């Protein structure tokens, strides 16, 4: 066993003395050491219940003959971090989580791991770590929040952000906004729509790294505790069979994940995280594949913010396996991929059933013939921008309007809430990319303000930053190269006409090449916004959004 390096032989005697100091018995040390990566904390609603999940995992590991040992991972609540300097520290935690988990697992030579994540960057960070460490690993998340109820309608966090815009437009009173605040997030768990956290937990299940129900069983259900116990037991079976993350996270598995991404209508953030996870697994997953996969993959789900259904509804409709089963009717998935069950994808989903065709559309009656995401390219985005096309109203699929240019998120929000943005405008927010932000902030505040002000069907937003999974509308993010690297988005001027054509995957500024080249000659790089601490170090190492914003040592 891998852990023999710290348990057996004369050379390991000092290590044994320290393991004895933990109170571990001789019998426990004769068993495999299984690291339980706990993302529990008391500030993230999606993580406040993870102590219970961890205890269940420990019990499952023990029942199956292993010795469970817990160590921590951090997690940021994107909702709480939104709209201020805290959001600069969200995406960057993905690499902190991967790095620190790698350090703990390698330093202590665990034989296997169970990852217990839940929210946005915590899930991909731990998937990246799993690919690096490559010991038998199972994921079990904390589960999604139940939807809230306001005035007889199901609501979620995206409704809350949009309520702020509605208040600015005079459509809601302060008391009504406070009613939203007290009701839209009624339980622990990852926020209840198909936002980034739930997107990544569902795609973990699709990749084969989580058991059935990992992405959809609500956090407050006892079924989630049983799932955690089974995850603990399953990792011991994987250890016996020597099934490792890189055996599971193959190129075919990532293509399954990208296909399901399109069918589910996942967050645009998935197009940052899937390439980054694939990179760690030794797989090249190009953003360019998005349109190719989307062209053949129907969009079967419209969960919030794209529609009126929530994660609890998807769970009752049969969950992720039921969506996968629909896709097999057109041979859209690789069914021979091995998973943490020890079985193939095809074996796992053989008995799955779609129990609610209103929540999971049958494949012959999709919401659209193409997938939920699209990659747009043009002289404004030579290396692509990403849009969640399933959450764009039909009248904004093709749009042309004057650019309203802002060099930071705060200035844009002030203009939107101040009534300075009018129908037809294209809001451009730049210098918010991975390097320029630094940290590539999410733009849920401005997109929600646009929706709340009643401009969602007439105003577009383009940024080298990114969007929350809760964003909807003609919101195009990840524009690459970013402004801080001299990308064309840095050359746009107030009033330039911006052309958006989502069906044709085009994003252009209607300015001649000669004019753009003249502007480029006059462009000067901005001074870094942050020059000390982790963010400065991150900015010096981070790559472009189209490469997943992975960190790379400069040579």
């Amino acid at each position: 066993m891998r852990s023999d390096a710290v348990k057996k032989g004369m050379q390991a005697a000092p290590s044994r003395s320290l393991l004895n100091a933990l109170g571990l018995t001789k019998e426990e040390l004769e068993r495999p050491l299984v690291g339980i990566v706990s993302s529990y904390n008391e500030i993230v609603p999606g993580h406040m219940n993870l102590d219970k999940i961890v205890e269940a995992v420990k019990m499952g590991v023990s029942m199956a003959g292993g010795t469970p040992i817990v160590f921590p991972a951090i997690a940021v609540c994107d909702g709480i971090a939104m709209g201020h300097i805290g959001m600069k520290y969200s995406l960057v935690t993905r690499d902190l989580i991967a790095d620190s988990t790698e350090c703990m697992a390698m330093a202590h030579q665990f034989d296997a791991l169970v990852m217990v994540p839940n929210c946005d960057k915590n899930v991909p960070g731990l998937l990246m770590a799993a690919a690096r460490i490559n010991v038998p690993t199972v994921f079990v998340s904390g589960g999604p929040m139940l939807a809230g109820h306001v005035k007889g309608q199901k609501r979620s966090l995206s409704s809350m952000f949009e309520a702020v815009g509605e208040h600015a437009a005079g459509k809601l009173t302060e008391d009504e906004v406070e009613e939203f605040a007290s009701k839209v997030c009624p339980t622990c768990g990852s926020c209840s729509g198909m936002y980034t956290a739930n997107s990544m937990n569902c795609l973990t299940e699709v990749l084969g790294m989580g058991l059935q129900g990992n992405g959809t069983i609500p956090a407050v259900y006892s079924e989630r505790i049983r799932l955690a116990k089974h995850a603990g037991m399953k990792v011991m079976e994987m250890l016996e069979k020597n099934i490792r993350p890189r055996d599971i996270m193959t190129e075919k598995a990532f293509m399954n994940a990208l296909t399901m991404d399109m069918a589910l209508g996942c967050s645009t953030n998935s197009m940052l995280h899937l390439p980054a996870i694939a990179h760690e697994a030794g797989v090249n997953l190009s953003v360019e594949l998005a349109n190719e996969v989307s062209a053949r993959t129907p969009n079967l789900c419209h969960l919030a913010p794209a529609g009126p259904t929530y994660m609890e509804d998807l769970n009752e409709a049969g969950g992720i396996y039921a969506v996968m089963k629909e896709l097999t009717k057109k041979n859209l998935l690789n069914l021979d991929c091995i998973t943490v069950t020890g079985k193939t994808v095809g074996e796992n989903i053989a008995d799955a059933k779609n129990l609610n065709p209103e929540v999971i559309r049958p494949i012959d009656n999709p919401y659209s013939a193409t997938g939920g995401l699209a990659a747009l390219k043009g002289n404004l985005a030579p290396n692509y921008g990403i849009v969640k096309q399933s959450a764009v109203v039909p009248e904004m699929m093709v749009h042309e309007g004057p650019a309203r240019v802002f060099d930071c998120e705060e200035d844009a929000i002030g203009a939107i809430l101040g009534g300075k943005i009018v129908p037809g405008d294209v809001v451009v927010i730049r210098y918010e990319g991975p390097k320029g932000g630094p940290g590539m902030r999410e733009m849920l505040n401005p997109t929600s303000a646009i929706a709340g002000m009643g401009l969602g069907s007439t105003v577009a937003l383009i940024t080298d930053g990114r969007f929350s999974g809760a964003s909807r509308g003609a919101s195009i993010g990840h524009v690459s190269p970013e402004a801080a690297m001299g990308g064309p988005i840095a050359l746009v001027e107030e009033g330039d006409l911006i052309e958006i054509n989502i069906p044709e995957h085009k994003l252009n500024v209607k300015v001649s090449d000669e004019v753009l080249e003249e502007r480029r000659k006059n462009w000067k790089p901005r001074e870094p916004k942050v020059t000390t601490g982790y963010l400065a170090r991150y900015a010096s190492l981070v790559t472009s959004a189209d490469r997943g914003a992975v960190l790379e040592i400069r040579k």
Side-chain angles (χ1 to χ4, degrees):
M1 287 189 292
R2 182 189 183 99
S3 62
D4 287 351
V6 298
K7 294 189 307 186
K8 292 187 176 180
M10 188 55 62
Q11 290 296 318
S15 301
R16 284 199 300 277
S17 71
L18 294 165
L19 293 170
N20 288 334
L22 293 172
L24 293 173
T25 65
K26 180 180 178 182
E27 291 79 6
E28 286 174 302
L29 292 179
E30 288 173 350
R31 296 177 169 191
L33 299 186
V34 180
I36 315 298
V37 186
S38 171
S39 304
Y40 168 77
N41 65 44
E42 294 184 340
I43 187 62
V44 184
H47 290 238
M48 63 184 285
N49 65 316
L50 295 190
D51 55 340
K52 296 176 178 61
I53 302 296
V54 167
E55 287 303 313
V57 170
K58 287 173 66 178
M59 187 174 293
V61 169
S62 295
M63 286 191 294
T67 297
I69 300 176
V70 178
F71 65 88
I74 63 168
V76 162
C77 178
D78 277 23
I80 295 174
M82 197 73 65
H84 55 88
I85 192 173
M87 182 44 68
K88 293 180 184 290
Y89 286 89
S90 171
L91 178 60
V92 304
T93 64
R94 187 185 71 183
D95 294 275
L96 278 175
I97 291 161
D99 292 348
S100 59
T101 302
E102 176 191 358
C103 290
M104 288 294 288
M106 298 302 291
H108 301 101
Q109 291 292 287
F110 289 105
D111 297 299
L113 297 167
V114 180
M115 306 290 197
V116 187
N118 210 27
C119 288
D120 295 24
K121 313 311 168 291
N122 184 240
V123 182
L126 289 179
L127 283 165
M128 289 164 68
R132 288 184 199 172
I133 301 159
N134 203 34
V135 298
T137 304
V138 177
F139 276 67
V140 56
S141 76
M145 183 184 290
L146 294 178
H149 292 81
V150 181
K151 301 187 188 307
Q153 289 186 311
K154 283 187 176 181
R155 298 289 189 174
S156 62
L157 185 65
S158 53
S159 309
M160 182 69 255
F161 277 88
E162 290 178 15
V164 175
E166 291 182 61
H167 176 262
K171 298 176 184 177
L172 288 179
T173 66
E174 187 172 338
D175 286 345
E176 286 174 317
V177 172
E178 286 306 308
E179 183 182 5
F180 272 82
S182 66
K183 293 180 177 179
V184 296
C185 296
T187 72
C188 62
S190 47
C191 297
S192 55
M194 187 55 83
Y195 309 147
T196 304
N198 292 326
S199 294
M200 294 312 303
N201 282 321
C202 289
L203 294 181
T204 299
E205 194 175 329
V206 177
L207 276 171
M209 291 297 293
L211 298 176
Q212 182 178 8
N214 180 69
T216 60
I217 298 170
V220 294
Y221 284 12
S222 298
E223 186 181 358
R224 175 66 57 176
I225 300 296
R226 295 195 294 273
L227 181 73
K229 291 176 183 176
H230 283 129
M233 289 185 266
K234 189 58 67 174
V235 79
M236 297 304 297
E237 183 181 314
M238 290 180 67
L239 181 59
E240 183 180 346
K241 295 179 178 179
N242 196 29
I243 299 174
R244 300 169 182 246
R246 289 196 179 200
D247 299 325
I248 295 170
M249 291 193 284
T250 62
E251 183 176 357
K252 286 183 176 181
F254 279 106
M255 291 305 295
N256 282 349
L258 191 53
T259 300
M260 278 289 288
D261 193 337
M262 298 300 172
L264 290 167
C266 291
S267 164
T268 52
N269 278 316
S270 62
M271 293 309 298
L272 274 180
H273 300 322
L274 285 177
I277 299 160
H279 173 76
E280 298 293 351
V283 174
N284 180 32
L285 191 70
S286 171
V287 171
E288 295 179 51
L289 288 169
N291 292 333
E292 177 187 325
V293 174
S294 179
R296 62 174 181 258
T297 308
N299 178 229
L300 305 182
C301 297
H302 264 193
L303 293 115
T309 53
Y310 295 82
M311 295 305 297
E312 62 201 65
D313 302 313
L314 179 57
N315 187 62
E316 295 302 319
I320 297 305
Y321 280 17
V323 183
M324 295 176 78
K325 189 64 176 287
E326 288 290 344
L327 293 181
T328 64
K329 295 175 183 177
K330 289 194 175 179
N331 300 314
L332 293 173
L333 295 177
N334 299 297
L335 300 181
D336 58 349
C337 297
I338 195 69
T339 71
V340 294
T341 65
K343 299 178 181 178
T344 64
V345 169
E347 290 172 320
N348 285 343
I349 67 174
D351 298 325
K353 291 182 174 59
N354 182 355
L355 303 177
N356 189 338
E358 295 302 312
V359 176
I360 303 171
R361 287 280 186 92
I363 200 161
D364 57 1
N365 182 35
Y367 282 102
S368 64
T370 55
L373 300 180
L376 311 187
K377 189 173 186 176
N379 69 353
L380 187 51
N383 295 347
Y384 295 96
I386 302 294
V387 64
K388 187 173 183 175
Q389 61 183 354
S390 61
V392 179
V393 294
E395 54 266 40
M396 289 299 290
M397 295 295 280
V398 177
H399 180 75
E400 184 176 300
R404 305 298 308 279
V405 182
F406 304 93
D407 287 351
C408 68
E409 177 190 7
E410 289 83 355
D411 290 350
I413 292 170
I416 296 165
L417 295 179
K420 296 179 181 178
I421 302 301
V422 299
D425 283 349
V426 178
V427 176
V428 177
I429 306 177
R430 61 193 181 189
Y431 295 99
E432 291 284 9
K435 187 176 292 293
M440 202 181 184
R441 287 195 287 182
E442 288 185 344
M443 302 292 160
L444 179 55
N445 273 337
T447 58
S448 298
I450 287 170
M453 294 286 284
L455 299 170
S457 61
T458 57
V459 169
L461 193 153
I462 297 171
T463 181
D464 54 6
R466 60 196 176 91
F467 297 111
S468 162
S471 292
R472 61 187 176 100
S475 304
I476 302 163
H478 306 199
V479 169
S480 301
E482 62 175 290
M485 296 298 291
I489 192 171
L491 310 179
V492 177
E493 295 184 358
E494 187 81 8
D496 286 348
L497 282 180
I498 304 291
E499 177 188 41
I500 301 167
N501 191 319
I502 296 173
E504 295 185 7
H505 306 142
K506 293 179 180 177
L507 179 61
N508 290 293
V509 54
K510 298 186 79 173
V511 173
S512 70
D513 293 344
E514 292 76 15
V515 170
L516 284 177
E517 185 55 36
E518 191 61 32
R519 291 180 186 177
R520 184 176 301 283
K521 290 176 183 176
N522 296 321
W523 177 81
K524 292 182 175 59
R526 301 290 179 91
E527 289 295 318
K529 293 178 183 177
V530 180
T531 57
T532 60
Y534 179 62
L535 286 181
R537 195 176 332 128
Y538 179 89
S540 72
L541 297 174
V542 71
T543 61
S544 180
D546 63 291
R547 294 182 55 194
V550 297
L551 301 188
E552 186 173 75
I553 298 171
R554 302 286 187 262
K555 296 181 180 178

